[in-house]
Amino acid sequence: QVQLVESGGGLVQAGDSLRLSCAASGRTFSSYAMAWFRQAPGKEREFVVGIRWSVGVVDIADSVKGRFTTSRNNVKNTVYLHMNSLKPEDTAIYYCAARLAIISSRRVEEYDYWGQGTQVTVSS
């Protein structure tokens, strides 16, 4: 079983930036698909960005396009979510997810491994 650990969340003001980390145990493979989701209080879990190790971002939600991007460190098996120009509506618990598949997905139920989540709060 793959272990995913998120970190980097915090309380920031609108317009600020944050970098979230997702560290994965074990090896990474070219067929390994990963994604970031977020869940605001009382709302369903929402897709943010889909990632493949060999490519980078392969899918991104319109709500964050142009503001969020990713990077990765293959040696450390870590992916990073760079969040810029944060808005209050970005406030949520952010989760890293992974599955052993080539294509990405926006569906929560199609991911097998999840981190514990990290809280991002953006004040206005």
Side-chain angles (χ1 to χ4, degrees), residues 30 32-38 46-62 64-65 68-72 79-81 94-99 101-107 111 114:
S30 61
Y32 210 64
M34 302 184 69
W36 287 92
F37 289 80
R38 64 186 183 184
E46 175 190 22
F47 172 82
V48 178
V49 61
I51 304 164
R52 286 187 63 188
W53 287 108
S54 61
V55 177
V57 175
V58 294
D59 192 17
I60 189 166
D62 289 339
V64 303
K65 188 175 183 179
F68 290 13
T69 189
T70 69
S71 64
R72 64 190 184 276
V79 296
Y80 304 95
L81 179 65
Y94 283 72
Y95 297 91
C96 180
R99 66 172 187 161
I102 296 175
I103 61 173
S104 63
S105 175
R106 296 190 173 200
R107 298 177 62 85
Y111 286 85
W114 293 85

Side-chain angles (χ1 to χ4, degrees), residues 12-124:
V12 298
Q13 297 185 46
D16 286 353
S17 299
L18 278 176
R19 187 187 76 169
L20 306 184
S21 299
C22 175
S25 65
R27 297 179 180 178
T28 57
F29 302 92
S30 61
S31 60
Y32 210 64
M34 302 184 69
W36 287 92
F37 289 80
R38 64 186 183 184
Q39 187 167 19
K43 300 181 67 176
E44 65 183 14
R45 196 162 296 185
E46 175 190 22
F47 172 82
V48 178
V49 61
I51 304 164
R52 286 187 63 188
W53 287 108
S54 61
V55 177
V57 175
V58 294
D59 192 17
I60 189 166
D62 289 339
S63 60
V64 303
K65 188 175 183 179
R67 299 188 297 117
F68 290 13
T69 189
T70 69
S71 64
R72 64 190 184 276
N73 186 317
N74 292 329
V75 175
K76 295 182 178 181
N77 289 338
T78 301
V79 296
Y80 304 95
L81 179 65
H82 303 269
M83 306 185 296
N84 302 309
S85 301
L86 284 164
K87 304 174 181 179
E89 50 263 45
D90 295 318
T91 295
I93 300 175
Y94 283 72
Y95 297 91
C96 180
R99 66 172 187 161
L100 294 175
I102 296 175
I103 61 173
S104 63
S105 175
R106 296 190 173 200
R107 298 177 62 85
V108 170
E109 62 269 26
E110 294 187 5
Y111 286 85
D112 301 309
Y113 309 105
W114 293 85
Q116 84 288 348
T118 184
Q119 176 71 49
V120 174
T121 302
V122 185
S123 62
S124 60

